[in-house]
Amino acid sequence: MFATPAIGKLVRAAARVTRHGGSAFPGKVVERIDPTFLARTLGRLPLGVVLVSGTNGKTTTTRMVASMLTDLGLKVFTNPTGSNFTRGVVSSLLTEVSLSGRLDADIAVLELDEAYAVHFVRQVKPRYALLLNVMRDQLDRFGEIDTTAKLLGHVAAATTGTVVLNREDPRIAALAGLAPAGTEIRYFGLTDDLRHYFPSDDDMATTVSVESDARSSLTGEPAARPTGGAAGTSGGAFGGMAGKAGKATNPADVAQETEPDDDEVRSPADVTLAAVGDHEATFRMDGHDYSTAVKLEGVYNLYNAAAALAVVRAVMRDTAAASKARASAHACAVSADELIAAVSRVTPAFGRGEIIDVNGSPVELLLVKNPMGFRLSLASFDPTNADTMIVINDEYADGRDMSWLWDVDFTSLRESGVGMVSGVRAWDMALRLGYDQVPVQATDTDIESALAAFVKGNPGKPKHIYCTYTAMLAVRAALAQVATVADAGVGR
């Protein structure tokens, strides 16, 4: 439909003026009037589509992949704000296409919500898929994690070129068996000594249940557990080491195969995270180690960087093969040093370790939306000599079911305490902290007033704000009234 871009741009302009409908509203309209717009527009891209999905790390990893490919000379279209439904992708397209419907790009790098990725691949078959992990997240939408794995299995089955999988997540690694014949499988992974930093969902146990078990063993009384605790074994802050990939090819079967025999050999990884430090990492590729400083925040983002490197290598390898008939099937179009240089320049996505200066205090925004993400954030950001605020909402984009908070270990905050708890579910959060014996100075469900009080305290002292998705948007909007906050395009 030749008029679609013009209609979509008009709707987008009207939505911005009236502040009605949100950033995905134009996409909703275009999906209704021209259902083939998405497939038609993306189908013209010479290098196709990279689809990024999984429970944790989608937005940051998508940003990494897009940034690196741009650094390496490709024209990249992406959905930069984390609007990861199909209509969000359509809305992003409307900002970039010409009135004739042409998208000036070589390749698209798209973040898709696990459920909406299934709808997307029915319309557009990705050339590359990067599948990160499956964790308990938004239980009201997805149910248990085997359901999420099944959703991502549809993505693997629809990918035409290369599927890049997390070797250390057994449910993700098992999706290799669902890829079509002729689709290449590649992995990103960890060295053995780093695997305890990134436990699988099955390895986690709530602090309350662990300490209750300990008391029970001393008193002989049955252990009492709050609802919502995940099964698993304890091992320090996170639990045991991540399980190896199972043999099952149906995601529904993998739950029973998270701990194969020790003599089972893991699949070789195209990129391995070999060492981590303070804003530095070492990546292993083709048997060689490459160390670099990074601008990313948090140890979890270093593993996301390994994932991004793996899919970027696949894209650049194919680009070389397509443009140079004599290129080796295993040759990479760019050197490892160029790849490492590209990853070193990537900056955090909005709200994912983003730092905003407020009256001389660096205020760091940390998105948390499930047990693993919250645990890794707490482990990555030392609460010593910093003020801590936690903001929890339960809107649709956050997930209505907040029982996952009981699967997070908050004991690292016992000594420093939490300065402020806010959001719709502030009192639930305060109660959860109480069970972990974490002192809370103040609780206020009104985010604006709570934030104002929090940032005024202890001028110059670093501040960490852990928040769910809609809470993060509210916090950024409130901070924009008193500080310079980059426009992420959300809600426009």
Side-chain angles (χ1 to χ4, degrees):
M1 187 172 166
F2 73 91
T4 297
I7 295 172
K9 289 176 182 291
L10 182 62
V11 170
R12 181 175 181 272
R16 292 185 67 180
V17 170
T18 62
R19 298 183 181 274
H20 174 74
S23 60
F25 180 67
K28 181 179 180 180
V29 173
V30 167
E31 282 186 325
R32 183 70 59 88
I33 66 172
D34 186 359
T36 66
F37 173 76
L38 179 66
R40 187 172 68 249
T41 305
L42 295 179
R44 296 169 179 161
L45 296 176
L47 300 180
V49 171
V50 178
L51 191 158
V52 181
S53 194
T55 304
N56 285 337
K58 294 186 291 291
T59 300
T60 297
T61 306
T62 299
R63 180 184 178 92
M64 290 183 197
V65 174
S67 175
M68 292 170 66
L69 290 175
T70 300
D71 251 15
L72 296 170
L74 298 183
K75 292 182 179 178
V76 179
F77 165 76
T78 189
N79 50 334
T81 67
S83 182
N84 55 18
F85 295 175
T86 50
R87 64 188 54 169
V89 175
V90 173
S91 291
S92 295
L93 280 171
L94 291 170
T95 68
E96 300 295 332
V97 296
S98 66
L99 288 175
S100 65
R102 181 177 179 274
L103 180 63
D104 185 21
D106 300 311
I107 192 168
V109 179
L110 303 176
E111 170 195 350
L112 269 298
D113 168 273
E114 298 95 304
Y116 280 86
V118 177
H119 299 290
F120 180 87
V121 300
R122 289 174 183 159
Q123 302 177 62
V124 180
K125 291 188 180 299
R127 191 170 303 180
Y128 306 91
L130 174 55
L131 305 180
L132 299 171
N133 45 62
V134 286
M135 299 286 173
R136 283 173 176 81
D137 183 30
Q138 299 190 40
L139 299 180
D140 49 303
R141 288 185 62 210
F142 297 124
E144 285 299 314
I145 53 178
D146 294 320
T147 301
T148 309
K150 286 181 181 179
L151 295 173
L152 295 180
H154 289 284
V155 176
T159 303
T160 62
T162 301
V163 177
V164 178
L165 302 172
N166 181 352
R167 182 184 66 183
E168 316 305 345
D169 186 317
R171 291 174 176 83
I172 292 294
L175 300 182
L178 301 180
T183 295
E184 189 174 16
I185 303 297
R186 292 187 176 272
Y187 297 93
F188 62 99
L190 300 162
T191 54
D192 288 341
D193 60 317
L194 292 183
R195 293 177 70 193
H196 69 282
Y197 282 111
F198 305 90
S200 70
D201 193 274
D202 303 287
D203 295 319
M204 295 195 302
T206 170
T207 316
V208 176
S209 67
V210 171
E211 294 185 351
S212 179
D213 285 342
R215 287 192 297 269
S216 177
S217 67
L218 293 175
T219 65
E221 297 177 358
R225 290 181 175 82
T227 58
T233 58
S234 174
F238 297 123
M241 287 167 52
K244 297 179 182 178
K247 299 175 183 177
T249 56
N250 186 334
D253 299 331
V254 180
Q256 307 301 319
E257 297 196 24
T258 57
E259 292 293 343
D261 295 335
D262 288 340
D263 59 357
E264 182 173 342
V265 178
R266 288 183 291 165
S267 301
D270 201 45
V271 179
T272 303
L273 180 61
V276 298
D278 182 13
H279 291 88
E280 59 184 14
T282 299
F283 301 97
R284 185 167 298 157
M285 294 182 284
D286 300 326
H288 299 283
D289 286 355
Y290 300 88
S291 298
T292 183
V294 293
K295 297 178 181 178
L296 302 166
E297 302 290 339
V299 65
Y300 49 90
N301 277 330
L302 301 181
Y303 195 33
N304 291 336
L309 279 166
V311 78
V312 168
R313 290 192 86 197
V315 171
M316 299 309 296
R317 184 182 293 112
D318 291 349
T319 302
S323 61
K324 198 172 183 180
R326 65 179 180 274
S328 165
H330 300 288
C332 190
V334 295
S335 70
D337 288 333
E338 289 174 290
L339 288 169
I340 294 298
V343 80
S344 73
R345 290 189 284 268
V346 178
T347 56
F350 79 97
R352 280 79 169 176
E354 177 185 21
I355 299 175
I356 298 169
D357 184 272
V358 182
N359 299 324
S361 291
V363 178
E364 195 151 12
L365 302 186
L366 303 162
L367 177 69
V368 293
K369 61 192 187 75
N370 52 54
M372 180 60 72
F374 213 146
R375 287 181 177 221
L376 288 174
S377 287
L378 289 170
S380 297
F381 299 93
D382 187 355
T384 306
N385 300 318
D387 291 334
T388 300
M389 179 176 182
I390 301 177
V391 192
I392 304 296
N393 278 355
D394 64 354
E395 302 300 329
Y396 179 77
D398 307 298
R400 300 289 190 183
D401 186 346
M402 288 290 118
S403 65
W404 62 266
L405 291 171
W406 292 93
D407 290 336
V408 182
D409 178 354
F410 292 101
T411 55
S412 63
L413 299 174
R414 279 179 181 170
E415 185 174 344
S416 61
V418 172
M420 178 67 73
V421 177
S422 188
V424 177
R425 301 295 286 270
W427 290 107
D428 298 79
M429 185 68 246
L431 176 65
R432 174 67 190 93
L433 292 170
Y435 268 86
D436 269 5
Q437 303 169 44
V438 176
V440 175
Q441 293 180 24
T443 302
D444 183 352
T445 56
D446 184 85
I447 294 176
E448 286 195 23
S449 62
L451 183 65
F454 177 70
V455 297
K456 284 180 182 177
N458 301 318
K461 188 176 183 180
K463 292 172 172 57
H464 299 157
I465 303 180
Y466 298 92
C467 39
T468 57
Y469 183 73
T470 65
M472 178 191 67
L473 299 182
V475 167
R476 290 183 93 254
L479 288 177
Q481 304 301 313
V482 296
T484 301
V485 178
D487 182 4
V490 180
R492 291 187 303 176

